Amino acid sequence: MGSIDFTWLIGGPQGSGVDSGANVFSKVCAEMGYRIFGKREFYSNIKGEHSYFVVRVSDEEIHSNVNDVTLMASFDAETIFRHFNEVPKDGGIIYDSDLDKTTTDEVLTLDNYFKARLHKELESKNKPFTIAGVLEIAKEKGVHLYPVSFREILSNLAEKTENPKLKGLVRLFNVLAVSLSLGLIKMPLDPLLQSVNSIFSKKPQIAEINKQAANFAYDYAKSKFSNFQYALTGTTKQPDTILVQGHFGTSIGKMVSGCRFQSYYPITPASDESVYLESHELLEIHNDRPGSTIVIQTEDEISAMGMMIGAALTGTRSSTSTSGPGFALMAESLGWAGINEVPIVITLYQRSGPSTGLPTRHGQDDLLFAVHAGHGDFPKIVYASGDIEESFYDTGRCFNYADVYQIPVIHMMDKFLSSSVVTCKKFDPQKISIDRGLLLDKVDGEYKRFAFTDDGISPRSRLGLDNGVFWNTGDESDEFGHITEDPYVRIQMMDKRMSRLDLVTKRIPNDEQVVSFGVHDYTIISWGSTKGPILDAISILKKEGINIGFIQIKLIHPFPSDYVKSLLKDAKTVIDIEANHSGQLGKIFNQNVLREIDYFILKYTGRGMTSTEIYDSLKKIVENKANKREVLSHGA
Amino acid sequence: MALKLADYKTEVHNDWCPGCGDFGIVNALQMALAEMGIERDKATIFSGIGCSGKTSHFINTYGVHTLHGRVLTFAQGGKLANPEMTVVAVGGDGDGLGIGAGHFVAAGRRNIDMTYIIFDNGVYGLTKGQASPTLRLGEKTKSLPSPNTNYNVNPIGLAVASGFTFVARGYSYDVRHLKDLIIKAVRHKGLSFLDVLQPCPTYNDINTRDWYAGIDLAQESMERHSRIYKLEDTHFDPMVHYDNETEVNEKLSQALIKSLEWGNKIPIGVFYQNEIISPYSTRLTDKIPNYLENPPAQQRISENGLPTTDVSEILDSLRV
């Protein structure tokens, strides 16, 4: 890693501005040229439960979070109790000194399981069950403590500005925490002040109060604290860099790919994408009148799926976005789209299951479900993106696959991606191509929607096209789309549809199916958002002289068996890394490549993997000290 | 060349039971399409699952035979993406008011400009005659092991309560009247609902053609007493004339009260019509001004294989 590798954590009760604080901090760092990898964690709750945001800042390319927190900015007791252990020697903790005597029992949102573990640790070290107790442990480890009385700052500020209302304004705590941090690490305050202006552009008085608070706290940290060894003074800005949130890749990707219809039912973590599409529903079109995306919030996911299919039948590129529980409701209609050869794209932002599971936490639990969703045999594509930048271009690919092969495409995303905030290279819309396959603009003579052809793909009419009348049915059908139960037509139709799977692996370029980051004796196979932490972990190992290969499998169904097999022929040990319990990709791999997975690195706590955890596990594997299943658990 | 009734028929063999009420509905629908002169390729019939689900295969327009209970979802998606197309959705009462009841209510709230016809016969025919949502409590049609234990859904009442802006009932053995109702429904600007009483000769031995014709009543009084009567033959005015709460509430309650008539007097005709409530397309054009001129199905999304959508403003706003 570069000379700067700094991780900042801000925590507080949900609804107290943790997110906006972190977004401002990320923006300030990004504008100073740093690369950012930020991740948000939160409970299934509106107000009060603990949420936190970790932002990793570096002057080199980074793709993940690490375990250690260099500076923690807290303004409540729970954040300190839950995260003090993540700050290593020489790191810092900014905290509200008024909380010193707060006991664990006074923090009502600390659950008993966590408290029991914490009490055990405090007991063993002979410390009281208070903030002062945990901070003593941190101090003994060599962590710098930066006590600040938030209330005192507010009353000083109230006095100075002759505005007594400021005294009790706890809503300013997040601005104070961010400003204290910026002062401590010697970053400029201006970008923060500008952000405050834009956030409160319609409330100038509130903007003013926030700016006063920010200035005061910033100067306070600068003048009072001097022993912190980290300073972020800026670095060379990379050209064409954007700062994006998790769902921007697929949403902007959908606009560019020409998706003009999106139906959805609210679900975490997928609905952000639909809401974003609706807030940008009017589209600018080169050399043409404005376009638009029709975004419909439906009564349930069954309806979202039905509406999307209805829209797709008119020739409109159509999509929905959902998570596991919603996708479960879509399974029946998925089969309908399959038997009727309807091109649709389902963006599946996975979270932890089963059932409601951990509703706001990460998981890659739905791979096998996506591959097998729907009753009966029908072809579909399951395609997985590894990071936000990739998800932009992959969205374009998914729509092309759907159109060209006339089959449903499930685009696998997850909560880790959706709640990340990262810097990446500006998306390039010109790198997305649009291929509508055999979609017809006109029809002459007799038309058969499901005409038998050499490669099994029939020219596709659309509802409303002149002379293109056709029928659809969820029953088995003949070439016109009328119901048939004839055994011979059944064979022909099943063969026609299922032959699509071979076409997909044959025609889609290899580098769209699988990305190889090198193959060595030890080689990782993985899919989806584990990509970032894996890349960072193997790059550290490489610097230590340990070469680990990695192939990222993007096309998961149909599985590119031959290509994966050939790629791995020189790998002696295959390691499967996934955020689920059973190693779902491993099962698919084993079934298709007929080879055993040697090691699994798995995580199913609902928290994303850090590169530190993967590094540690890989090292154990290389040193022959690992279990066949390494189970990760870092993260509050 | 003007289209004739025959042009709307397909060659698909119709395998409904002899005497099935569904025949009258298909005929009325084909007659209505011919009379309105809607081109075959400018209309789509969406259908649900069951006997009525096969309807789309018998009509020579675009036909989409969907899933059980989901017909309205497919139909609404199609209409929203291609608003120029005439959309008629059809399905049984089990399909629309049992498994699909949630979609029925939600569709009413949207008021998308299309027509929904329920083939209402009180039984699940294709699965051998189980009780469907409109069968009355305590009734025992012939294949039920014991009398029905559920209260019936009132389709007209549910439709007016859900926001449908045209609500009517037809009878499948009065094909001309039904054809006229379908034309009114299709021409209505908004979501229109037609509850069509349709005897199932095989499984519903209570609400039979003879029962609707009042043959049993005739035996008592020695004269023929059809149970069916037409609202338009009475002084019933279903139309909401002014954008006024009292007017709307009166017409809604009148429709609801009328829909409760059953037994010896069964009204058919239009129960409620409100053209003041905006159709969904108007709600969309309020925020997307050129939605109707440039709907999703018409939009040009690429040129020479490259996207035409310009997102530079969005991308610039994300630049650091």
Side-chain angles (χ1 to χ4, degrees):
Chain A
M1 291 301 122
S3 54
I4 294 288
D5 189 358
F6 182 89
T7 291
W8 181 78
L9 182 148
I10 185 167
Q14 213 127 281
S16 64
V18 169
D19 266 19
S20 44
N23 284 332
V24 168
F25 183 83
S26 306
K27 193 141 201 257
V28 175
C29 294
E31 284 186 348
M32 294 189 62
Y34 292 110
R35 321 287 178 96
I36 302 298
F37 193 96
K39 186 195 67 159
R40 177 181 178 230
E41 281 293 348
F42 54 98
Y43 275 81
S44 178
N45 156 267
I46 295 176
K47 278 191 178 161
E49 292 280 1
H50 175 63
S51 73
Y52 69 95
F53 214 123
V54 262
V55 184
R56 184 173 172 212
V57 183
S58 174
D59 48 6
E60 284 192 3
E61 216 174 299
I62 45 169
H63 313 92
S64 65
N65 289 116
V66 291
N67 286 8
D68 287 349
V69 170
T70 330
L71 177 64
M72 176 165 106
S74 62
F75 49 85
D76 70 337
E78 183 163 4
T79 303
I80 305 169
F81 282 131
R82 287 197 187 266
H83 299 277
F84 75 95
N85 260 336
E86 293 167 34
V87 186
K89 183 175 179 300
D90 297 328
I93 298 178
I94 296 172
Y95 72 101
D96 187 347
S97 53
D98 300 335
L99 298 171
D100 253 348
K101 294 194 180 80
T102 306
T103 64
T104 50
D105 285 337
E106 283 169 311
V107 181
L108 300 177
T109 43
L110 274 186
D111 56 282
N112 290 336
Y113 308 102
F114 174 78
K115 255 199 298 200
R117 289 194 301 273
L118 179 62
H119 288 172
K120 208 168 151 193
E121 183 184 352
L122 288 167
E123 246 163 14
S124 74
K125 291 179 176 155
N126 216 4
K127 305 287 182 205
F129 296 175
T130 60
I131 290 293
V134 297
L135 288 177
E136 267 177 50
I137 296 179
K139 197 169 183 180
E140 285 163 11
K141 210 198 308 183
V143 174
H144 301 290
L145 300 183
Y146 301 108
V148 179
S149 167
F150 280 50
R151 282 182 199 281
E152 205 176 294
I153 287 196
L154 287 183
S155 38
N156 286 343
L157 188 62
E159 214 169 286
K160 212 175 128 190
T161 57
E162 294 173 5
N163 183 354
K165 274 192 203 154
L166 288 184
K167 253 185 182 170
L169 216 57
V170 291
R171 257 195 271 163
L172 288 174
F173 279 12
N174 65 337
V175 175
L176 294 179
V178 177
S179 312
L180 287 163
S181 305
L182 294 179
L184 187 61
I185 54 179
K186 304 183 178 64
M187 292 189 82
L189 188 66
D190 277 353
L192 182 142
L193 299 177
Q194 280 164 25
S195 294
V196 167
N197 276 339
S198 71
I199 292 168
F200 299 108
S201 60
K202 285 177 186 144
K203 298 172 184 165
Q205 276 176 315
I206 297 181
E208 198 47 44
I209 292 171
N210 273 276
K211 284 192 284 187
Q212 284 168 351
N215 273 311
F216 195 89
Y218 182 79
D219 293 340
Y220 186 91
K222 263 193 142 170
S223 60
K224 294 244 170 168
F225 308 132
S226 54
N227 61 344
F228 198 53
Q229 68 185 52
Y230 298 90
L232 300 187
T233 49
T235 183
T236 326
K237 224 172 181 171
Q238 300 299 311
D240 284 334
T241 302
I242 52 176
L243 180 67
V244 288
Q245 290 185 37
H247 57 277
F248 287 7
T250 57
S251 11
I252 302 173
K254 284 184 180 184
M255 295 176 202
V256 172
S257 308
C259 172
R260 294 295 177 260
F261 187 91
Q262 167 122 337
S263 38
Y264 81 105
Y265 185 74
I267 190 166
T268 305
S271 15
D272 287 347
E273 185 202 282
S274 301
V275 172
Y276 187 83
L277 280 174
E278 189 175 350
S279 32
H280 295 82
E281 61 193 348
L282 296 176
L283 301 167
E284 265 183 62
I285 309 295
H286 291 295
N287 305 322
D288 201 359
R289 55 195 169 164
S292 57
T293 314
I294 303 298
V295 180
I296 305 286
Q297 184 187 323
T298 55
E299 59 274 24
D300 55 34
E301 284 90 350
I302 297 173
S303 179
M305 190 75 178
M307 283 214 202
M308 162 176 60
I309 296 172
L313 290 173
T314 70
T316 304
R317 281 194 157 180
S318 306
S319 183
T320 186
S321 185
T322 190
S323 191
F327 184 59
L329 291 182
M330 296 178 172
E332 189 191 15
S333 325
L334 185 68
W336 195 96
I339 196 170
N340 284 290
E341 308 187 21
V342 190
I344 48 169
V345 175
I346 300 167
T347 313
L348 179 50
Y349 277 96
Q350 302 159 91
R351 65 191 210 193
S352 275
S355 192
T356 325
L358 299 166
T360 59
R361 308 287 182 182
H362 171 60
Q364 293 180 304
D365 306 22
D366 298 336
L367 188 66
L368 285 171
F369 179 44
V371 167
H372 297 292
H375 57 283
D377 273 330
F378 64 92
K380 64 168 102 68
I381 287 177
V382 178
Y383 197 72
S385 290
D387 59 42
I388 298 171
E389 186 179 352
E390 223 177 74
S391 73
F392 171 76
Y393 301 101
D394 288 350
T395 301
R397 288 176 180 175
C398 286
F399 279 99
N400 286 346
Y401 299 160
D403 267 340
V404 170
Y405 301 102
Q406 298 183 18
I407 55 177
V409 176
I410 301 160
H411 184 190
M412 304 301 280
M413 295 289 290
D414 58 45
K415 191 266 168 186
F416 182 81
L417 294 172
S418 86
S419 55
S420 306
V421 174
V422 302
T423 46
C424 67
K425 200 157 176 54
K426 190 176 147 190
F427 303 152
D428 182 357
Q430 294 303 302
K431 283 191 187 151
I432 284 185
S433 64
I434 293 184
D435 185 348
R436 305 294 321 257
L438 298 183
L439 179 66
L440 295 169
D441 282 325
K442 64 186 188 70
V443 175
D444 296 314
E446 188 187 54
Y447 176 70
K448 293 176 180 173
R449 169 67 187 94
F450 303 103
F452 295 119
T453 59
D454 289 344
D455 65 2
I457 302 177
S458 325
R460 181 162 72 98
S461 173
R462 38 183 145 172
L463 301 180
L465 184 66
D466 294 349
N467 305 315
V469 167
F470 62 83
W471 290 268
N472 285 127
T473 173
D475 289 30
E476 188 54 273
S477 75
D478 61 16
E479 288 176 282
F480 293 98
H482 284 311
I483 299 171
T484 182
E485 297 188 18
D486 182 85
Y488 295 96
V489 178
R490 164 70 173 178
I491 291 175
Q492 282 178 294
M493 277 296 169
M494 282 299 286
D495 291 350
K496 168 189 191 311
R497 288 189 296 265
M498 295 304 284
S499 68
R500 224 57 64 82
L501 291 172
D502 283 338
L503 284 188
V504 167
T505 45
K506 243 180 244 160
R507 290 187 184 168
I508 293 178
N510 278 345
D511 60 352
E512 290 185 22
Q513 302 185 18
V514 179
V515 181
S516 172
F517 294 91
V519 173
H520 298 283
D521 283 358
Y522 291 91
T523 296
I524 297 163
I525 64 161
S526 192
W527 64 286
S529 66
T530 49
K531 174 190 170 188
I534 290 172
L535 286 179
D536 284 355
I538 60 178
S539 114
I540 304 171
L541 285 163
K542 194 172 176 187
K543 282 178 191 157
E544 295 177 10
I546 303 168
N547 285 319
I548 308 259
F550 169 36
I551 66 166
Q552 178 202 358
I553 302 177
K554 300 190 66 162
L555 179 66
I556 292 166
H557 183 82
F559 194 80
S561 312
D562 294 342
Y563 185 47
V564 170
K565 200 174 192 167
S566 70
L567 277 173
L568 286 174
K569 68 179 188 308
D570 294 326
K572 295 196 178 100
T573 303
V574 177
I575 304 157
D576 175 29
I577 303 187
E578 298 183 63
N580 59 51
H581 185 275
S582 58
Q584 300 190 5
L585 176 70
K587 287 187 172 161
I588 296 172
F589 171 83
N590 178 249
Q591 198 174 22
N592 287 281
V593 180
L594 304 177
R595 183 172 172 174
E596 288 287 323
I597 296 288
D598 299 290
Y599 290 98
F600 291 94
I601 300 177
L602 303 169
K603 187 168 186 178
Y604 41 92
T605 58
R607 279 70 172 171
M609 294 184 194
T610 63
S611 44
T612 321
E613 291 178 291
I614 295 180
Y615 166 88
D616 290 344
S617 303
L618 290 173
K619 196 129 193 208
K620 273 166 83 180
I621 290 171
V622 173
E623 288 167 357
N624 211 12
K625 290 177 188 158
N627 298 310
K628 182 159 174 116
R629 268 171 71 91
E630 285 291 310
V631 177
L632 312 180
S633 62
H634 176 81
Chain B
M1 194 178 66
L3 288 157
K4 299 183 299 290
L5 179 59
D7 296 321
Y8 294 93
K9 296 182 190 285
T10 62
E11 286 167 10
V12 176
H13 168 67
N14 189 324
D15 58 3
W16 286 332
C17 304
C20 178
D22 289 352
F23 286 105
I25 307 177
V26 170
N27 289 341
L29 189 47
Q30 287 162 334
M31 285 159 67
L33 289 166
E35 192 171 319
M36 288 184 284
I38 295 172
E39 297 288 334
R40 293 175 45 233
D41 46 24
K42 299 300 159 215
T44 304
I45 311 298
F46 289 87
S47 58
I49 289 292
C51 293
S52 58
K54 295 178 182 175
T55 302
S56 50
H57 295 283
F58 305 140
I59 298 179
N60 200 354
T61 62
Y62 282 99
V64 183
H65 181 191
T66 70
L67 287 164
H68 197 36
R70 315 302 170 207
V71 61
L72 280 175
T73 69
F74 285 69
Q76 289 171 97
K79 179 71 183 183
L80 285 166
N82 187 359
E84 285 171 17
M85 177 169 74
T86 298
V87 170
V88 177
V90 302
D93 59 299
D95 193 288
L97 302 168
I99 185 170
H103 306 309
F104 184 86
V105 173
R109 295 172 53 214
R110 287 189 196 98
N111 197 33
I112 294 172
D113 187 13
M114 52 181 237
T115 298
Y116 182 37
I117 304 175
I118 280 188
F119 295 29
D120 181 358
N121 63 13
V123 290
Y124 284 92
L126 210 49
T127 49
K128 300 185 186 169
Q130 296 82 358
S132 76
T134 57
L135 191 70
R136 280 154 197 265
L137 176 64
E139 286 187 340
K140 184 183 169 309
T141 46
K142 75 178 175 205
S143 59
L144 293 188
S146 57
N148 183 19
T149 50
N150 296 306
Y151 197 77
N152 66 298
V153 169
N154 171 354
I156 301 283
L158 186 61
V160 294
S162 305
F164 282 77
T165 50
F166 178 100
V167 180
R169 183 192 280 149
Y171 178 51
S172 67
Y173 281 102
D174 192 341
V175 177
R176 293 213 164 269
H177 181 257
L178 181 56
K179 180 259 301 173
D180 289 341
L181 277 182
I182 293 173
I183 292 175
K184 277 186 197 152
V186 169
R187 289 190 172 147
H188 171 75
K189 290 282 163 228
L191 182 58
S192 48
F193 171 58
L194 265 173
D195 174 36
V196 182
L197 303 173
Q198 168 258 310
C200 172
T202 306
Y203 292 109
N204 189 332
D205 51 353
I206 296 173
N207 310 114
T208 61
R209 185 177 185 176
D210 284 351
W211 181 80
Y212 283 115
I215 304 288
D216 54 327
L217 301 177
Q219 281 163 352
E220 288 159 24
S221 65
M222 298 309 285
E223 63 179 298
R224 201 182 161 84
H225 282 285
S226 176
R227 286 187 157 81
I228 305 277
Y229 77 96
K230 296 187 174 103
L231 287 171
E232 54 270 35
D233 295 342
T234 67
H235 294 294
F236 190 87
D237 176 12
M239 183 66 91
V240 173
H241 296 283
Y242 328 98
D243 190 5
N244 165 299
E245 207 183 321
T246 318
E247 162 78 357
V248 174
N249 290 349
E250 263 171 27
K251 292 288 155 68
L252 280 172
S253 4
Q254 165 191 274
L256 181 61
I257 290 165
K258 200 39 105 178
S259 73
L260 297 171
E261 268 182 33
W262 192 255
N264 291 351
K265 298 281 273 175
I266 300 172
I268 61 171
V270 182
F271 283 68
Y272 176 76
Q273 187 169 11
N274 184 340
E275 289 197 315
I276 293 162
I277 292 178
S278 60
Y280 201 80
S281 55
T282 307
R283 303 176 200 173
L284 281 178
T285 44
D286 284 347
K287 49 184 201 151
I288 302 168
N290 74 352
Y291 162 64
L292 287 172
E293 296 90 70
N294 194 22
Q298 305 288 333
Q299 289 185 40
R300 205 174 51 85
I301 60 168
S302 65
E303 203 173 312
N304 303 322
L306 287 175
T308 51
T309 313
D310 182 356
V311 291
S312 49
E313 203 174 299
I314 296 174
L315 293 177
D316 285 344
S317 73
L318 302 174
R319 202 190 271 271
V320 287

